[in-house]
Amino acid sequence: MFEIVKREEMAGGTVILNEIAAPLIARKAKPGQFVIIKANEEGERIPLTMADTDPDKGTITIIYMVVGKSTALFKTLNVGDGYQDVIGPLGKATHLEKQGTVVCVGGGTGIAVLHPITRALKEIGNRVIGIIGARNRDLLILEDKMRSASNELHVCTDDGSYGRPGFVTEALKEILEKEDVRQVVAIGPVPMMKFVSGITAEYNVPTLVSLNPIMVDGTGMCGGCRVTVGGETRFACVDGPEFDGHKVDYDELMKRLQAYSEDERRCYNDFCRMEQ
Amino acid sequence: MSEKKARKETVSRQAMPEQAPEIRRRNFAEVPTGYTAETAVIEAGRCLQCKKPSCVEGCPVNVDIPGFIARIAEGDFKGAIRNLWTRNSLPAVCGRVCPQEIQCEGQCVLNKKGAPVAIGNLERFAADWARENNTGELPPRKASTGKKIAVVGSGPSGLTVAGDLIVKGHEVTVMEAFHKPGGVLVYGIPEFRLPKAIVAHEVDFLERLGVHVACNMVVGRTVTVDELFQEGYDAVYVGVGAGLPRFMNIPGENLIGILSANEYLTRANLMKAYKFPEVDTPIPMGKNVVVLGAGNVAMDAARTAMRLGADSVKIVYRRSRDEMPARTAEIHHAEEEGIEFFLLTNPVQYLGNDQGRLTGMECLKMELGEPDDSGRRRPVPISGSNFEMACDLVIVAVGSGANPLLTQSTEDMTLNRWGYIAADPETGKTTKRGVWAGGDIVTGAATVILAMGAGRKAADSIHEYLTWGW
């Protein structure tokens, strides 16, 4: 069992942080990598990108939004409880390079994945501009951490309840207009990554995105996570999860994420009914 | 003597009782139900106890076949299983999934005149008897040598290496990337051919012998082969299989409803998605299912789809019946269960709707031309023969390749041009000192028993190395 040593609720209980004892993974994990996690015997295997690791303490941190049965089940786990299986670190680590000014754009729980990459990019000497966004003030996570991980941080809310009103893409456009940006890293919902990539393509700025397709094993043996990048099929779990944002077929990815939507809804509804 | 011989010839091969096709096609229970003690003794009595038994040569791990069968014939079932365990640590598995017709039973002298001794069924009987009448007895283990071996992958070859080395007195840790050990035995071969409780029992047997099984260890990611040596392992055996699914690279392949056989079978077997929503992993429930390919994996996928309630399941294969690589028994089982065969047919593109879901397949009819490198006649498309086939689920079972996760992270290990590990066929030694490899990661996708045979050779070589040096 992989014990939960710390648990926090964010964004009004819709987003949960778990720090999990997993010394072998903590020792090896690098920014951009993920774990596959399974709560119990009947559970499914869910991929989650690590938000942090502490090799000395032997722990990893995951931050997830409650969107269905499995994440709702994860939410019921308290400190001292644990996950039956945690597998990782999986996927390729982010390619980090000192380039000058880089912009890190995060949306929703994507901010949790973006944070360690942002921190690392700053540590190796880049000037990092962070842009984070959420639907409203209550759903915004990790603002303080992102602030200390970047040289400059812009906060956006769709409804204008906090920070700058509007989407992250608008803030990004302004920065691209006035700064010499060498790279953009965008992590969040697929439509957000698609729009960011559309904009950066216009400015010809290399863009890295982290994809979140459906996965089963996470080790390259099933191809459930396949995505089209530059016209070629790639497996996100071993070739990614990060890819050149200008080459990803986002529409295909969005459709493939709906493959089990009916089953997922049914499972979630059953679980919520049982919990009541 | 002559009287005894005459009696043997009049006894015919004992049939294995099976669930009726119309019942079993909708359940996941095992198809053959096994011999009773009585039928096992009768069948064992058919063995001529040859002085130079050719059946043993036909077995890749050289089980003492006349020896264990003689014990069954005498009713000494405990003696039979003890004998089996000296050569084979997975008898309940081998008795079920080995292609005996081309191995031990294919070599049986009775084959010349009539039906061979049902060696597989008898092996299965002895193993099942031992499990059901658990004696708790273990084979003897040599004194500890203090040497540590890491076995990477808990499939048939890795389990064989572990079983062989533990009794020789070494300390053995098996590392498995999945959350359950067994490799293809748990994720690939379906419950109705190999109940997962049996695999768990075989692994439990190894653990009782002292083998340490560490799951969730992705060697290449969680730890590398070089780090294993730094951690004090004296030797490493790599038996990670050929778990890289092949797709056909035709238009529309990423539509929803097209899965590799690896994914489909992993969901069904390892994740037990056939019990959804009792378990959390879903699996696509196709009404019109097409399986591409005609190997054993294709048969397993097709029969699984039928059990999940499909209206129709078709095997689509580009060659003819004679070239189908699946075992005859598997093809026969599939046909009995109502699976249709569309031979000399090849898909050229998939068709989908605006939600990105599969609706059908465009195919071409093929004819057989000249033999190719594999000696099989090459299928040639018949131009203008295009036709559409409606389907809502396609399972791609056209083979698998070498998964590069481990090999990419390991230095000084030579690979061949297909990405498989180059290893000495006699010893399993790789080009990296202290590292052996065997099974599908060396040969490409083959059989359970060949992987076990490779494991046996490697275990002998590792033992020799640990005793005498490289």
Side-chain angles (χ1 to χ4, degrees), chain A residues 17-20 49-54 59-63:
Chain A
L17 174 149
N18 279 171
E19 192 178 334
I20 305 165
T49 304
M50 285 173 273
D52 212 347
T53 54
D54 187 335
T59 61
I60 62 165
T61 300
I62 53 164
I63 294 178

Side-chain angles (χ1 to χ4, degrees), chain A residues 41 45 69 221-222 226, chain B residues 179-180 253 260 262 280:
Chain A
E41 189 61 29
R45 294 165 64 102
K69 156 93 193 262
M221 66 155 281
C222 87
R226 60 198 194 274
Chain B
H179 56 272
K180 274 204 171 85
E253 204 154 39
S260 71
N262 271 3
D280 296 340

